[in-house]
Amino acid sequence: MDPRPTGAGKSKGKSTWSSKAELQDYISFVGFFMYYLSSVYPPIPRSESIDDDGPPLTPVVSGVPATRPPAHLILAGYSYGALLTRYLPRIPALLGRFSKVLKTSTKAEIRLRAAKLASVTHIDILSRPLHGTEASGNARRSRGVQSSRPGDRTDRTSEDWALEKDSHMQYLQTPFVRDGKRDSWPDQHNGLDPDDDDYIARLDVPTPKTHYLLISLLLGPVAALCTGFGALGNAELDSKFMYNETLVLHGEKDRLTSLKRLSSWADALMPGRDRRFAVVKIENTGHFWRDKRAIEDLERTIKTWVRTYVKDESQSS
């Protein structure tokens, strides 16, 4: 997951120059993605967390055979995006923001849209011809995708599937605007203490195995300038890098954040370092990665890291 700041590239938006709204956008997308993924592939029940990042969370469903490896989530950012990634809450706390939410809140809408998109995914899978083989049906069920109504496979036509999918897509394509402004964080309910009926049903998702990829991280005065010299979080947020595999890539000629400043930050965070936390210097490039050979080194380093700490762990889970 790589956050693109508002106003970057061809975006029609504008940066807030405080980073708070952009950080909330990143949190919103992570929440949306994890609730979508959990709806498409029901989680595997387990008695303890697969991540050192926090306590175990209650599975959405029970009784699902443990045939799938746990989800792996890579949260990544370049430059300003790396700064936002640094200030993300720890994953259990981030997902906890979406577990019990007011019906009128933005987070409730995020969960609803995640469920709607998951329904579209189910329709796409269920509407594919299975060639009449039991093996195909078993393969579909092993992916955790099942029809919500008995007889859907035989009683519904392709036109039925298309109409239902169109209905979901029309909803998803409708811009979400609440009173013409952003919803507040945390949720508010007309200044009154909400009752239980004001909330949608509590829904927790399992904590994924989380990895972090930071490229050309901004530190020091430049980072302070990007956040309007305001506080996005505290130093405790950096502790997530100590408990989850983290790769930090930096150009040796970076003038926005010197390699010396980055090394000082890394040494203070994890003296001696271990395999979980790696800082890699890429030669012959600065902050903007204009050297083709440096980009190739960047890609090669990331691929090696993913194979070593993501793919291998998934296969052994």
Side-chain angles (χ1 to χ4, degrees):
M1 243 174 241
D2 175 15
R4 298 291 170 146
T6 305
K10 297 181 180 180
S11 170
K12 296 180 181 180
K14 297 180 180 179
S15 173
T16 61
W17 292 106
S18 71
S19 300
K20 292 181 179 179
E22 290 87 342
L23 181 61
Q24 289 175 7
D25 288 343
Y26 198 174
I27 291 171
S28 296
F29 185 77
V30 174
F32 172 86
F33 179 77
M34 290 309 302
Y35 272 85
Y36 163 76
L37 194 65
S38 184
S39 296
V40 173
Y41 298 103
I44 301 169
R46 58 197 186 280
S47 58
E48 60 184 33
S49 174
I50 59 173
D51 193 354
D52 295 330
D53 206 345
L57 296 177
T58 304
V60 178
V61 296
S62 60
V64 180
T67 57
R68 294 188 305 279
H72 283 250
L73 177 67
I74 300 177
L75 298 175
Y78 158 70
S79 189
Y80 185 55
L83 177 65
L84 297 180
T85 304
R86 180 189 175 192
Y87 284 109
L88 282 175
R90 296 171 69 178
I91 287 298
L94 187 157
L95 295 177
R97 296 187 180 193
F98 296 87
S99 62
K100 184 180 179 181
V101 294
L102 291 170
K103 294 177 181 178
T104 57
S105 69
T106 298
K107 293 188 282 294
E109 183 72 15
I110 288 170
R111 274 182 46 180
L112 179 59
R113 290 184 177 234
K116 287 285 188 180
L117 184 60
S119 297
V120 172
T121 303
H122 288 168
I123 290 171
D124 282 339
I125 296 175
L126 290 168
S127 59
R128 295 172 189 168
L130 297 181
H131 306 296
T133 64
E134 183 178 354
S136 297
N138 291 335
R140 174 168 51 84
R141 286 189 291 274
S142 72
R143 293 196 294 267
V145 178
Q146 298 180 359
S147 173
S148 59
R149 295 178 293 275
D152 264 347
R153 286 292 317 168
T154 57
D155 297 343
R156 309 188 74 204
T157 65
S158 59
E159 289 79 9
D160 293 330
W161 291 114
L163 288 172
E164 185 170 342
K165 180 178 178 180
D166 287 344
S167 174
H168 289 313
M169 291 303 297
Q170 287 176 9
Y171 171 80
L172 289 168
Q173 292 169 1
T174 302
F176 175 56
V177 178
R178 191 177 302 285
D179 297 330
K181 58 183 179 181
R182 298 181 70 93
D183 202 31
S184 57
W185 291 61
D187 292 322
Q188 296 176 350
H189 188 67
N190 299 325
L192 303 175
D193 293 333
D195 298 323
D196 288 342
D197 291 340
D198 295 319
Y199 291 95
I200 62 174
R202 183 182 181 93
L203 185 62
D204 294 315
V205 296
T207 304
K209 180 61 181 176
T210 311
H211 313 264
Y212 295 93
L213 173 62
L214 308 176
I215 302 174
S216 299
L217 174 64
L218 296 176
L219 295 170
V222 176
L225 179 63
C226 290
T227 60
F229 298 93
L232 282 181
N234 52 53
E236 293 181 359
L237 293 175
D238 284 343
S239 65
K240 62 180 174 283
F241 302 134
M242 299 168 61
Y243 301 106
N244 299 276
E245 281 77 14
T246 300
L247 176 62
V248 183
L249 295 169
H250 209 72
E252 67 167 344
K253 298 179 180 179
D254 194 320
R255 294 184 179 181
L256 294 184
T257 298
S258 67
L259 195 59
K260 181 179 180 181
R261 182 183 293 276
L262 181 74
S263 298
S264 297
W265 169 77
D267 290 339
L269 177 63
M270 187 172 289
R273 317 218 187 115
D274 62 16
R275 72 175 189 87
R276 287 178 179 265
F277 188 85
V279 177
V280 178
K281 177 184 70 174
I282 304 295
E283 297 180 352
N284 300 318
T285 190
H287 188 82
F288 299 102
W289 300 87
R290 294 192 175 97
D291 185 81
K292 182 178 179 180
R293 184 171 299 177
I295 294 176
E296 293 174 351
D297 290 341
L298 175 79
E299 294 175 345
R300 184 164 47 250
T301 303
I302 294 174
K303 288 178 181 178
T304 300
W305 177 71
V306 170
R307 283 195 299 265
T308 303
Y309 297 118
V310 180
K311 185 176 180 180
D312 289 353
E313 288 188 8
S314 298
Q315 292 176 345
S316 61
S317 298

